[in-house]
Amino acid sequence: TENVLVQEQLQNFVKVIFERGVTMLRLDAAMHVYPETFLAILAAFPMNYVVQEFFPGPIKFEKDTLTKASMVGTFTNFDFGSQVAQVLFDVWKDGEWEDSSTRFGDLLHIGSPSPDCVYSICDTAYPPDIALLFIDNHDQ
């Protein structure tokens, strides 16, 4: 996608679908494309909503990437499904099953960082205000 001819083809495609009424996009594998490239391709098309597929690593460890990619659109939150599973599923602890039904209220707090969160992945890399929550997709 860093090739100018590829960018022109993508921009032509976006122009066609935009002219047909498409105003929302999901950018698959967005973490493999420089955010500046997406901004250049989409600049002429005022989209209502753009969501990018980003695994947590680049967002968590490359703060510049988070800042730049946030200018393109929101992020799919790949942590959310695992967080929900940690609340809902019984766990084997100290030689016996621990009933998870007492933790169901914790579902109200998942998806946002919280100091009282007891789940291993509550420290999500995705900013809650720009994260698209979903349970599972083809990559997990």
Side-chain angles (χ1 to χ4, degrees), residues 84-104:
V84 170
Q86 287 182 19
V87 173
L88 295 179
F89 299 154
D90 294 340
V91 295
W92 184 256
K93 187 175 179 181
D94 299 326
E96 60 185 53
W97 285 103
E98 183 178 294
D99 180 11
S100 68
S101 62
T102 60
R103 299 189 308 264
F104 287 178

Side-chain angles (χ1 to χ4, degrees), residues 53-68:
E53 183 184 63
F54 254 92
F55 290 115
I59 295 171
K60 190 171 194 170
F61 301 112
E62 301 170 11
K63 294 302 178 189
D64 197 37
T65 298
L66 172 61
T67 302
K68 290 177 180 179

Side-chain angles (χ1 to χ4, degrees), residues 5-140:
L5 295 175
V6 172
Q7 292 175 12
E8 288 173 1
Q9 288 297 313
L10 288 170
Q11 200 164 32
N12 289 336
F13 174 73
V14 174
K15 181 178 189 253
V16 168
I17 63 173
F18 184 77
E19 288 173 348
R20 292 186 181 168
V22 173
T23 60
M24 294 186 247
L25 294 176
R26 176 185 178 271
L27 303 176
D28 192 55
M31 65 184 189
H32 299 295
V33 178
Y34 292 113
E36 296 89 344
T37 300
F38 278 135
L39 286 171
I41 291 169
L42 299 175
F45 312 103
M47 293 290 164
N48 290 333
Y49 187 73
V50 176
V51 63
Q52 306 166 86
E53 183 184 63
F54 254 92
F55 290 115
I59 295 171
K60 190 171 194 170
F61 301 112
E62 301 170 11
K63 294 302 178 189
D64 197 37
T65 298
L66 172 61
T67 302
K68 290 177 180 179
S70 295
M71 294 168 37
V72 176
T74 62
F75 303 96
T76 50
N77 182 337
F78 280 89
D79 293 339
F80 186 71
S82 296
Q83 290 172 321
V84 170
Q86 287 182 19
V87 173
L88 295 179
F89 299 154
D90 294 340
V91 295
W92 184 256
K93 187 175 179 181
D94 299 326
E96 60 185 53
W97 285 103
E98 183 178 294
D99 180 11
S100 68
S101 62
T102 60
R103 299 189 308 264
F104 287 178
D106 291 344
L107 288 171
L108 300 172
H109 307 289
I110 288 184
S112 299
S114 170
D116 60 341
C117 182
V118 298
Y119 306 102
S120 64
I121 60 168
C122 283
D123 184 23
T124 183
Y126 303 98
D129 56 330
I130 56 170
L132 174 68
L133 304 179
F134 68 100
I135 298 297
D136 197 11
N137 84 353
H138 64 277
D139 292 320
Q140 293 179 313

